[in-house]
Amino acid sequence: MDSSGLPHLDRRIADCRACPRLVSWREETARVKRAAFADWTYWGRPVPGFGPADARLLIVGLAPAAHGGNRTGRMFTGDRSGDVLYEALYDVGLASQPTAVHAHDGLELYGVRVTAPVHCAPPANKPTPEERDTCRPWLVQELRLLRPTLRAVVVLGGFGWQAALPAFAEAGWSVPRPRPAFAHGARYLLDGLELFGCFHVSQRNTFTGRLTPAMLRDVLRTAARAAELPTAS
Ligand code: SF4
């Protein structure tokens, strides 16, 4: 498949029902809702990646949030983690606006795609290893489709790192053994693909200062330059 296959892949992902616990959780969350979003019709389905099919930079998170992506149907959209991520992407020059409120808010990403190794919102933001492995073929297919243009990847957090490295190997990149360890600021080269580690943009990290706005922007700017994307100074 070439890059024209990515919209097709995204539609197939959105119909997936392979993980019984996650199907039940995402649909239950969509039924019950959070009071603040009572007038929303939740998406309640797997959330595909977001961004252009010829992206040079990929950002890999963990999984959609129950009242964020699972509500809006777009990755990192409608939750605090997404607010932090998209504001940083905007500041670095990789997004058209600093906010991500709903799927039709006009947000465009420039040369960047955002995805997750698990496409359904999990209870307590914790997918099981089995769910992570069940979802991996979707990430492998996405990586294969992006491969012609992809030059750099930022992985947010250790879970995403553990999930992504086997997917890179399956998609055709040489991943060394033992596998490179996750750390904030880690940088490895895999067959012409620059791989960066960054603490996840979760509230637990951003509220405590473990991940500061400057740290996030620094990783994103470095990765964008590695991918030869223009950045804002
Ligand atoms: S987590 Fe992935 S494999 Fe499991 S149901 Fe959702 S999309 Fe399908």
Side-chain angles (χ1 to χ4, degrees), residues 71-162:
R71 171 172 59 91
T72 63
R74 196 175 69 189
M75 201 57 83
F76 276 108
T77 297
D79 60 67
R80 300 296 288 269
S81 299
D83 292 347
V84 169
L85 177 63
Y86 287 123
E87 187 179 10
L89 285 171
Y90 174 76
D91 285 352
V92 173
L94 300 175
S96 62
Q97 59 190 48
T99 55
V101 182
H102 58 77
H104 305 290
D105 60 7
L107 173 63
E108 276 182 73
L109 301 183
Y110 303 140
V112 184
R113 188 169 163 92
V114 181
T115 195
V118 172
H119 286 280
C120 292
N125 289 323
K126 285 200 176 120
T128 65
E130 186 187 1
E131 289 159 352
R132 175 199 64 202
D133 293 346
T134 303
C135 208
R136 182 182 304 133
W138 291 128
L139 181 57
V140 172
Q141 291 178 67
E142 187 173 15
L143 290 172
R144 284 186 179 137
L145 288 165
L146 290 169
R147 186 165 180 159
T149 55
L150 194 62
R151 296 294 175 268
V153 179
V154 174
V155 182
L156 301 174
F159 181 95
W161 188 269
Q162 296 297 334

Side-chain angles (χ1 to χ4, degrees), residues 10-11 13-15 26-27 30 40-48 64 66 68-74 103 119:
D10 291 345
R11 285 194 296 276
I13 290 172
D15 286 336
R26 75 193 194 204
E27 293 180 355
W40 274 75
T41 302
Y42 275 49
W43 175 249
R45 295 166 62 189
V47 182
N70 189 56
R71 171 172 59 91
T72 63
R74 196 175 69 189
H119 286 280

Side-chain angles (χ1 to χ4, degrees), residues 147 150-151 168-169 171-176 188-194:
R147 186 165 180 159
L150 194 62
R151 296 294 175 268
F168 283 115
W173 279 277
S174 303
V175 179
Y188 298 96
L189 187 62
L190 314 173
D191 295 340
L193 181 74
E194 296 255 26

